[in-house]
Amino acid sequence: MGYYSMYGHVAKLAEEIEKGASSVEGVEVPETLSDDVLTKMGAPSKKDVPIITPAELAEADGVIFGFPTRFGMMAAQFKAFMDATGGLWRTQQLAGKPAGIFYSTGSQGGGQETTPLTAITQLVHHGMIFVPVGYTFGAGMFEMEQVKGGSPYGSGTFAGDGSRVATELELQQAFHQGKYFAGIAKKLKGSA
């Protein structure tokens, strides 16, 4: 799984996605800004999370990418990471690998659907197989009594001014996405 999280919202979803993916038998789930810059921005310091390089993506059976939104699309920090995958693109080392997306936005109108929709272009150029959540999360997709991030494209949360935390329903959807994605990746690997 690869993700970028400035304030921790995407990191929290990543934890749940990892738990969901790890719940599938036989599946193992293995930052671009310095701590100084994060401190100046008022963001929390990074957790002890290994930093993946673009080259390491080729070793994965599948990848779920997570990032915050900036003006309806992936944050520049994550776009820079994707831009660094040019060598993988040239040799099509990611072609045929399943890929998913999860994200956080600042508000309800801040890109819960446009962010993954614009990010899919990165996957398409690599020949990756996009694995959306669709409506497989069931009733949770139709929740209208509480504010909930996410869409058929992937799980999501609203960061607001940075103080809002992911709700239990958002975390459940992230867990579901991890489990669902891992099951698909496992099937694809088994059929190869």
Side-chain angles (χ1 to χ4, degrees):
M1 175 182 345
Y3 70 88
Y4 167 71
S5 184
M6 181 176 290
Y7 295 103
H9 296 84
V10 171
K12 186 64 178 168
L13 292 179
E15 289 173 12
E16 291 302 311
I17 287 172
E18 182 177 8
K19 287 177 191 174
S22 296
S23 75
V24 176
E25 186 178 334
V27 172
E28 292 182 34
V29 181
E31 187 61 64
T32 62
L33 294 178
S34 70
D35 284 332
D36 184 47
V37 171
L38 290 171
T39 300
K40 290 177 183 175
M41 295 177 77
S45 63
K46 299 173 194 169
K47 292 185 176 182
D48 187 24
V49 176
I51 296 175
I52 190 170
T53 65
E56 291 173 289
L57 295 176
E59 300 168 16
D61 294 327
V63 183
I64 303 180
F65 295 108
F67 36 80
T69 299
R70 297 294 185 270
F71 303 109
M73 58 186 89
M74 71 175 62
Q77 292 89 339
F78 200 81
K79 177 66 168 74
F81 176 83
M82 293 304 294
D83 287 347
T85 64
L88 298 173
W89 165 79
R90 191 169 29 269
T91 56
Q92 285 296 284
Q93 291 183 58
L94 302 181
K97 290 184 184 287
I101 297 171
F102 64 102
Y103 40 84
S104 71
T105 63
S107 67
Q108 291 180 1
Q112 288 284 315
E113 288 202 348
T114 60
T115 299
L117 188 59
T118 57
I120 290 171
T121 61
Q122 308 293 315
L123 310 180
V124 169
H125 283 269
H126 279 287
M128 298 180 90
I129 302 167
F130 178 54
V131 180
V133 173
Y135 285 85
T136 62
F137 186 48
M141 292 299 290
F142 300 98
E143 172 60 43
M144 298 296 287
E145 299 300 316
Q146 61 178 298
V147 174
K148 181 190 83 65
S151 72
Y153 296 99
S155 56
T157 188
F158 297 108
D161 63 1
S163 63
R164 182 184 184 272
V165 297
T167 66
E168 186 59 36
L169 186 59
E170 290 168 334
L171 297 176
Q172 289 170 4
Q173 183 180 18
F175 181 92
H176 171 77
Q177 182 178 8
K179 184 175 182 176
Y180 179 75
F181 180 86
I184 299 289
K186 185 177 176 180
K187 285 179 190 176
L188 289 171
K189 182 180 180 183
S191 67

